[in-house]
């Protein structure tokens, strides 16, 4: 059985709950400091902000789709080998949804955590 390297969805949501306010706060401070005429670095950061959200969203949906397809193949293979329809327990269905959610949260969490680290380093350097 492969080792699970990804954090569970609860942990990922907790990480997002910490990282997202940090990122939003740093970016709002940066926008407020730039004022009506942002510089080149500020415009680059704003453009990257939009692009990273689009990219993470697509990666998230793709990961959830692939995980659900993998689980469906696993279910079909079990059904094919057993010759009878396997009974899907509530616990098994819950674990399947948890796996799908975990795969979908991973790209978003990864980007939010990376942004929190990067922006906090930039804020420390500018002080």
């Amino acid at each position: 059985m492969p080792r699970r390297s990804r954090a569970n969805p609860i942990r990922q949501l907790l990480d997002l709950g910490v990282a997202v306010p940090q990122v939003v706060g740093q970016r709002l401070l940066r926008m407020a400091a730039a004022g009506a005429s942002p510089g080149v670095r500020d415009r680059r950061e704003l453009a990257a902000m939009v692009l990273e959200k689009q990219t993470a969203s697509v990666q998230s949906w793709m990961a959830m789709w692939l995980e659900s397809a993998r689980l469906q193949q696993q279910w079909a293979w079990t059904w094919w080998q057993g010759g009878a329809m396997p009974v899907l327990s509530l616990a098994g269905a819950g674990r399947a949804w948890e796996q799908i959610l975990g795969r979908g949260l991973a790209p978003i969490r990864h980007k939010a955590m990376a942004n929190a680290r990067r922006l906090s380093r930039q804020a420390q350097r500018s002080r």
Side-chain angles (χ1 to χ4, degrees), residues 3 8 27 34-35 38-39 44 50-51 54 66-68 75 77 84-85 89 92 98-100 113 116 120 126:
R3 188 173 68 99
N8 67 14
R27 285 185 168 157
R44 194 176 316 135
V50 172
L51 183 62
Q54 294 170 343
L66 288 172
E67 183 65 17
S68 62
W75 179 83
W77 183 251
M85 176 99 46
S89 69
E98 185 180 337
Q99 285 177 291
I100 293 168
M113 298 292 285
S120 68
S126 67

Side-chain angles (χ1 to χ4, degrees), residues 4 8-10 12 92-104:
R4 286 184 65 183
N8 67 14
I10 301 297
Q12 290 176 334
R95 280 191 301 274
W97 281 109
E98 185 180 337
Q99 285 177 291
I100 293 168
L101 178 62
R103 297 293 175 145

Side-chain angles (χ1 to χ4, degrees), residues 7-9 36 70 83 92 98 102 121-122:
N8 67 14
R70 187 190 69 78
E98 185 180 337
R121 281 194 307 265
Q122 286 178 357

Side-chain angles (χ1 to χ4, degrees), residues 21-33:
Q22 290 176 354
V23 171
V24 170
Q26 291 291 333
R27 285 185 168 157
L28 285 175
L29 286 172
R30 189 171 186 164
M31 283 188 260

Side-chain angles (χ1 to χ4, degrees), residues 78-119:
T78 303
W79 176 75
W80 181 263
Q81 294 297 313
M85 176 99 46
V87 177
L88 184 62
S89 69
L90 289 177
R95 280 191 301 274
W97 281 109
E98 185 180 337
Q99 285 177 291
I100 293 168
L101 178 62
R103 297 293 175 145
L105 284 173
I108 296 168
R109 177 192 168 273
H110 175 75
K111 194 61 183 171
M113 298 292 285
N115 281 336
R117 284 189 299 271
R118 180 178 56 81
L119 291 171

